[in-house]
Amino acid sequence: MAAYILKFYQMPEWKRRKTEPYQYNTFRCLTRRLVEVDVQNLARQILTWPLQLSVQVNNEKYLLAHAMTSKPECTENKYYYLMGNEMNPEYFCNGVEGYTSICGHRNTVNHKIWRNEKGNLIMCDCGCGFRNGKLGCLCLETKEEFYV
């Protein structure tokens, strides 16, 4: 989204009108609520954020990413973290050894937070952007799940 925003505002006005809309409604929502300079500043800020974040809570190590995680010492391309790899059953079964990975991107079944059998991969996209979806939240300190 950030790349789309910056590219969009670099175009002349006439070309913007002919540009393919962003695939999700995020861009449209932002431009309805923020002025152009704030949308661009937000895009630049997003580009400074890490693709994956490693945190430790109560002596447990977590990896957080939008779609998939990797061992911190193994750097993947940005699309791996942002879009994932649907053809990687090994990841869904085993996660990343030594860590609990928490991701979103893929809607979960029944709009509930999903865990693999090992409990080291947690998928928390409960479809909040869709009519019947929910916002799934997980407290890392207590493992308590919340749904809005």
Side-chain angles (χ1 to χ4, degrees):
M1 179 184 69
Y4 179 91
I5 289 169
L6 295 176
K7 183 178 178 182
F8 180 85
Y9 285 115
Q10 289 173 353
M11 293 181 212
E13 187 68 38
W14 65 267
K15 200 170 185 180
R16 290 180 193 175
R17 287 190 292 272
K18 296 180 180 186
T19 300
E20 190 72 29
Y22 188 67
Q23 65 190 54
Y24 303 107
N25 69 346
T26 316
F27 179 74
R28 190 171 27 125
C29 290
L30 285 174
T31 56
R32 287 180 178 167
R33 291 175 174 88
L34 301 172
V35 296
E36 184 177 315
V37 68
D38 289 338
V39 174
Q40 291 179 71
N41 286 337
L42 177 61
R44 283 191 277 282
Q45 180 64 43
I46 289 169
L47 291 174
T48 68
W49 296 343
L51 295 169
Q52 172 175 281
L53 186 63
S54 179
V55 297
Q56 190 165 334
V57 178
N58 297 336
N59 295 321
E60 263 187 82
K61 293 191 249 177
Y62 294 92
L63 297 171
L64 311 172
H66 179 70
M68 288 180 78
T69 60
S70 69
K71 290 183 180 182
E73 64 273 8
C74 298
T75 304
E76 303 287 343
N77 70 47
K78 69 180 179 179
Y79 295 101
Y80 177 90
Y81 302 102
L82 298 175
M83 301 306 288
N85 179 351
E86 299 288 340
M87 305 306 288
N88 194 337
E90 174 74 18
Y91 176 77
F92 291 103
C93 290
N94 297 313
V96 176
E97 189 176 334
Y99 294 89
T100 298
S101 296
I102 302 177
C103 304
H105 183 62
R106 291 174 196 81
N107 290 328
T108 57
V109 177
N110 299 324
H111 306 295
K112 297 284 186 184
I113 292 172
W114 176 87
R115 290 171 173 77
N116 67 356
E117 286 185 22
K118 287 186 168 185
N120 70 344
L121 175 59
I122 301 170
M123 303 299 284
C124 60
D125 184 338
C126 299
C128 71
F130 298 100
R131 182 175 301 271
N132 297 322
K134 297 177 185 172
L135 175 62
C137 306
L138 177 68
C139 177
L140 297 182
E141 287 87 6
T142 65
K143 308 290 190 276
E144 196 172 2
E145 297 177 13
F146 301 91
Y147 298 93
V148 180

